[in-house]
Amino acid sequence: MATGKINVSVDNIFPLIKKFLYSDHEIFLRELISNATDATLKMKHLTTIGEAKVEYGNPIIEVKVDKEGKKLHIIDQGLGMTEEEVKKYINEVAFSGAEEFLNKYEDSAKDSGIIGHFGLGFYSAFMVAHKVEIITKSYKDEPAVQWSCDGSPEFIMEPAEKETRGTEIILHIADDSTEFLEDGKIDSLLSKYNKFMPIPIKFGMRTETLPKPEGAKEEDPAPTKEVDNIVNNPNPAWTKQPADLKPEDYKSFYRELYPMQFEEPLFHIHLNVDYPFNLTGILYFPKLSNDLNQQKDRIQLYQNQVFVTDNVEGIVPEFLTMLRGVIDSPDIPLNVSRSYLQADGAVKKISSYITRKVADKMNSLFKNDRAEFEAKWNDIKIVIEYGMLSEDKFFDKADKFALYPTVDGSYFTFEELQEKIKSAQTDKDGKTVILYASDKEAQHSYIETAKAKGYEVLLLDSPIIGHLMQKLESSKENISFARVDADHIDKLIQKEETQISKLSEEEKETLKKELEEAITDKSFTVQLEAMDSDSSPFTITEPEFMRRMKEMQQTGGGGGMFGMGSMPDMYNLIVNTNHPLVSEFLNTKTAKKKERLINQSLDLAKLSKGLLKGKALTEFIKRSYAMVK
């Protein structure tokens, strides 16, 4: 038996490990199984290249809980360690030895899948254990060895009774970590971190139903047998070539990733690149709502099939964090700050690559089956619009496939839209005005007025559309967006010809003064306009710029940008000086009747705009019933 001190640079590393190494103690299981996986993959590689004269077989990693003995066992059938190797890799805190192995077999080990990136690996066990034992036997046919340590720098090493190669780690679970003796807890951790590890992981047994023997009666129970409960899928879809997968394989993998997600994904993107960095993965477009905050952190980051995190901000472009799926790369540095990640050269290349692949896939879908792409547009538009806003390269590519739907259900690319509307919707200054609505029902009367003029009206209703319109207006020549209720239609698209008012300047002054006295709500600005006599007498509009700034402020833009604070609601009351009812306002001598006519007309305009609510709506209804008696 040998005793000694672990070669560490502080008197006691274990309290530091327990307190500071990881923010989450449950990571220990990921680390230990990663080491067991490395040991097994090393064994596979050495047998493949003829370096080890032993059979590789069909090794598994086994996790066992001994609740009564308060122990957790992790057992592998990998290459094991000699006494010298235990001294080197355990006592000298030399990590898992993966880097040294890869350097030694540099060329042949390139594609061995060895992990070797998980920090202090083995020592994470002391986060949950007051004592750790190692029983290990090397494939080199040397005596087995047992090592134990009670959480101080002191260790004991002695010969062990072990016939088969591999390593068993025994954790004597500390009193403050007994949750890790519960089967349910271990099962959930294996599912979270080790679901797709490349070596089969056994955790307990399960009952398998066998076919009934020939001649068995219907009422006879089917025979059963106990089999190993393998908790992981060592060959997940993203590790295979796209040519080897069918559409159903991708759907099946999506269900494996998100068992509680019942809607099928709309489509997928298979990532597979080995230069200038290594990256594999599958991204899925789910059906998306307009709520940006509810949909992030669904992409899982793996490193050589080991789960790392589902916070991929800084690795995946922000607009794509609303997608789902898996990315796996050995080139992404782990356990570092987000600011470091964003400055890392490999990460920047990975982010650009993913952006390009998504854009190319969208363009391909659009070209190959436009009808299907249009049918899915409303479910994916929030990602595309977000990407156009946040990534200039994506904006350039998306210009070819981003769609602009009309209120009548037609879809145009921007180029098609410009061609369609430029003759009718170009104003006297040569600017093409793109009309849009954000709510077909609420803005119905304004839409109908525009359509009566032969104008197209888009339906743009995502929460970030104001930001995107601003970007389009600054990047395209001679275009502007205007919501159909931003002004009366002839002001939105001003032509050379103008309507002549039936009222004199004096009458208009009198009318404006009377209206401003009668209308007590100061959020309305009275504006007199000469319009067709069959247009509404009163129309309420919201100034495009102020309304857009208010909407952008609500989605994290305009208000803060312009230092406006919380912007109030502002409306224009457009009064049609050519409508007979407006002339009647002027000609009515009775003040009470004039007030009633103005209030009724204003309330009708508010009703059309969806602004008549509460007490004002109740009084309007009473007044209207009184008028029809």
Side-chain angles (χ1 to χ4, degrees):
M1 182 176 84
T3 62
K5 273 198 174 185
I6 295 167
N7 181 18
V8 293
S9 58
V10 291
D11 284 342
N12 196 340
I13 195 173
F14 300 111
L16 293 176
I17 287 173
K18 192 157 189 173
K19 200 165 183 184
F20 301 119
L21 178 60
Y22 296 105
S23 57
D24 195 343
H25 287 186
E26 67 183 32
I27 296 293
F28 82 92
L29 192 60
R30 181 190 79 176
E31 300 285 334
L32 295 178
I33 291 179
S34 296
N35 285 347
T37 301
D38 269 351
T40 310
L41 291 172
K42 288 175 187 174
M43 190 72 253
K44 182 179 183 180
H45 183 68
L46 294 178
T47 55
T48 302
I49 64 173
E51 186 84 7
K53 308 298 181 188
V54 294
E55 287 290 319
Y56 175 66
N58 296 299
I60 64 169
I61 295 166
E62 184 174 7
V63 179
K64 290 198 297 189
V65 172
D66 174 3
K67 197 166 183 178
E68 282 187 20
K70 293 188 175 181
K71 290 184 284 190
L72 182 66
H73 301 250
I74 294 97
I75 306 160
D76 70 58
Q77 297 159 15
L79 75 176
M81 288 181 281
T82 63
E83 183 177 341
E84 286 304 309
E85 286 167 338
V86 171
K87 289 176 184 175
K88 182 175 182 179
Y89 295 128
I90 303 300
N91 295 344
E92 294 179 9
V93 194
F95 306 98
S96 69
E99 196 171 335
E100 180 188 321
F101 183 89
L102 290 171
N103 289 338
K104 183 175 179 181
Y105 301 102
E106 187 173 355
D107 294 328
S108 63
K110 182 182 171 191
D111 298 315
S112 63
I114 288 165
I115 300 160
H117 286 290
F118 287 85
L120 289 173
F122 165 70
Y123 285 94
S124 63
F126 286 95
M127 293 191 294
V128 299
H130 64 83
K131 178 183 175 184
V132 178
E133 295 178 76
I134 302 172
I135 303 170
T136 184
K137 179 172 173 57
S138 171
Y139 74 97
K140 294 174 182 174
D141 197 29
E142 290 194 28
V145 61
Q146 180 165 350
W147 177 98
S148 64
C149 177
D150 63 1
S152 70
E154 307 292 334
F155 70 86
I156 297 171
M157 192 158 58
E158 55 192 339
E161 296 293 324
K162 181 170 168 57
E163 299 299 322
T164 55
R165 74 163 192 257
T167 299
E168 179 174 4
I169 310 276
I170 305 167
L171 278 64
H172 296 258
I173 299 297
D175 290 340
D176 63 357
S177 298
T178 53
E179 61 182 300
F180 298 110
L181 293 169
E182 300 295 333
D183 284 357
K185 179 67 173 178
I186 297 301
D187 193 50
S188 71
L189 293 183
L190 291 172
S191 178
K192 179 176 179 179
Y193 293 109
N194 307 103
K195 193 174 182 177
F196 301 111
M197 294 288 274
I199 304 298
I201 299 167
K202 174 186 173 183
F203 183 53
M205 305 292 286
R206 63 182 177 83
T207 303
E208 188 176 274
T209 302
L210 302 172
K212 287 185 179 181
E214 202 173 320
K217 294 177 183 176
E218 194 175 329
E219 61 270 19
D220 289 346
T224 60
K225 69 171 181 176
E226 292 293 298
V227 296
D228 291 348
N229 181 39
I230 303 299
V231 296
N232 62 321
N233 173 4
N235 301 296
W238 84 81
T239 64
K240 301 173 184 176
Q241 290 298 314
D244 298 333
L245 296 167
K246 300 183 176 108
E248 185 47 48
D249 295 324
Y250 287 106
K251 289 179 183 175
S252 175
F253 182 57
Y254 184 76
R255 289 190 288 271
E256 195 174 347
L257 282 175
Y258 309 105
M260 301 308 292
Q261 182 58 237
F262 301 112
E263 283 188 329
E264 296 282 357
L266 299 170
F267 37 75
H268 66 268
I269 299 163
H270 198 131
L271 307 169
N272 195 344
V273 63
D274 55 17
Y275 182 83
F277 49 82
N278 285 293
L279 176 78
T280 54
I282 301 171
L283 296 179
Y284 294 92
F285 268 78
K287 283 189 174 183
L288 296 169
S289 71
N290 278 345
D291 189 345
L292 298 174
N293 297 319
Q294 294 296 313
Q295 299 166 157
K296 295 188 178 182
D297 295 340
R298 303 290 178 86
I299 295 175
Q300 299 173 13
L301 174 64
Y302 286 75
Q303 193 180 82
N304 291 324
Q305 295 177 237
V306 183
F307 176 79
V308 178
T309 181
D310 55 11
N311 179 0
V312 294
E313 188 183 345
I315 301 164
V316 171
E318 189 182 357
F319 77 98
L320 294 176
T321 57
M322 290 182 283
L323 301 188
R324 292 182 185 157
V326 165
I327 56 172
D328 188 331
S329 175
D331 294 331
I332 296 172
L334 301 178
N335 300 332
V336 293
S337 71
R338 292 283 144 199
S339 58
Y340 177 90
L341 268 183
Q342 286 159 2
D344 184 81
V347 171
K348 281 183 176 177
K349 286 176 185 171
I350 287 169
S351 181
S352 295
Y353 168 78
I354 293 171
T355 298
R356 190 177 75 250
K357 282 290 286 186
V358 170
D360 290 346
K361 176 74 172 185
M362 296 293 99
N363 198 34
S364 168
L365 289 167
F366 173 72
K367 283 182 174 176
N368 295 338
D369 192 342
R370 178 161 177 167
E372 186 185 2
F373 191 77
E374 288 180 359
K376 292 174 177 174
W377 176 253
N378 281 326
D379 293 317
I380 63 168
K381 65 185 178 189
I382 195 79
V383 175
I384 309 300
E385 290 170 357
Y386 197 179
M388 291 172 75
L389 263 176
S390 56
E391 302 272 339
D392 286 338
K393 286 182 181 174
F394 187 80
F395 180 91
D396 295 337
K397 285 179 172 285
D399 208 29
K400 296 179 177 65
F401 59 77
L403 294 177
Y404 300 86
T406 70
V407 290
D408 296 321
S410 300
Y411 291 83
F412 298 102
T413 63
F414 197 88
E415 190 179 331
E416 292 166 348
L417 179 68
Q418 267 190 307
E419 190 62 33
K420 170 104 174 135
I421 68 172
K422 68 180 178 184
S423 59
Q425 291 177 222
T426 300
D427 67 14
K428 62 185 176 62
D429 299 319
K431 183 172 277 192
T432 301
V433 181
I434 301 168
L435 299 175
Y436 72 99
S438 58
D439 186 324
K440 274 204 304 189
E441 298 302 316
Q443 292 147 16
H444 183 267
S445 64
Y446 300 90
I447 293 168
E448 291 303 306
T449 301
K451 285 167 69 176
K453 292 268 187 183
Y455 298 154
E456 285 286 352
V457 181
L458 300 182
L459 180 60
L460 305 177
D461 57 3
S462 81
I464 57 172
I465 197 64
H467 300 274
L468 181 58
M469 287 188 297
Q470 195 153 310
K471 180 154 187 170
L472 287 163
E473 286 168 340
S474 63
S475 61
K476 307 281 186 186
E477 287 187 9
N478 281 333
I479 67 114
S480 67
F481 285 83
R483 205 167 82 175
V484 285
D485 58 351
D487 209 329
H488 79 77
I489 195 66
D490 292 334
K491 278 302 252 333
L492 289 176
I493 306 177
Q494 283 192 297
K495 304 291 186 178
E496 293 292 349
E497 65 274 8
T498 55
Q499 289 278 347
I500 298 169
S501 176
K502 292 179 180 176
L503 301 183
S504 68
E505 291 302 315
E506 188 180 339
E507 285 174 318
K508 284 197 277 189
E509 271 186 46
T510 303
L511 176 64
K512 188 171 184 182
K513 186 180 177 185
E514 288 179 348
L515 288 170
E516 286 174 343
E517 287 174 356
I519 298 168
T520 55
D521 189 341
K522 296 310 170 192
S523 61
F524 288 92
T525 301
V526 176
Q527 194 175 309
L528 305 184
E529 298 286 353
M531 299 157 63
D532 293 336
S533 58
D534 56 357
S535 295
S536 299
F538 281 8
T539 306
I540 295 172
T541 64
E542 291 179 78
E544 178 74 15
F545 175 78
M546 296 301 287
R547 193 210 70 252
R548 204 189 289 187
M549 287 303 103
K550 186 176 176 68
E551 288 173 355
M552 287 168 66
Q553 181 189 50
Q554 291 166 354
T555 54
M561 199 186 306
F562 293 95
M564 294 179 181
S566 183
M567 295 170 63
D569 292 318
M570 293 180 66
Y571 303 100
N572 288 331
L573 176 64
I574 311 290
V575 180
N576 180 4
T577 59
N578 289 341
H579 195 282
L581 184 59
V582 173
S583 297
E584 195 174 331
F585 296 158
L586 278 173
N587 299 330
T588 300
K589 304 300 181 193
T590 312
K592 199 167 183 179
K593 183 183 178 186
K594 184 177 288 192
E595 185 185 351
R596 193 182 78 244
L597 282 173
I598 291 172
N599 285 337
Q600 190 72 2
S601 301
L602 179 61
D603 281 353
L604 283 166
K606 284 182 177 178
L607 193 64
S608 174
K609 183 72 177 157
L611 297 173
L612 197 63
K613 295 171 183 172
K615 183 180 177 184
L617 178 59
T618 304
E619 288 177 352
F620 168 77
I621 292 168
K622 282 182 183 175
R623 190 169 67 242
S624 299
Y625 277 129
M627 290 170 68
V628 296
K629 280 183 181 175

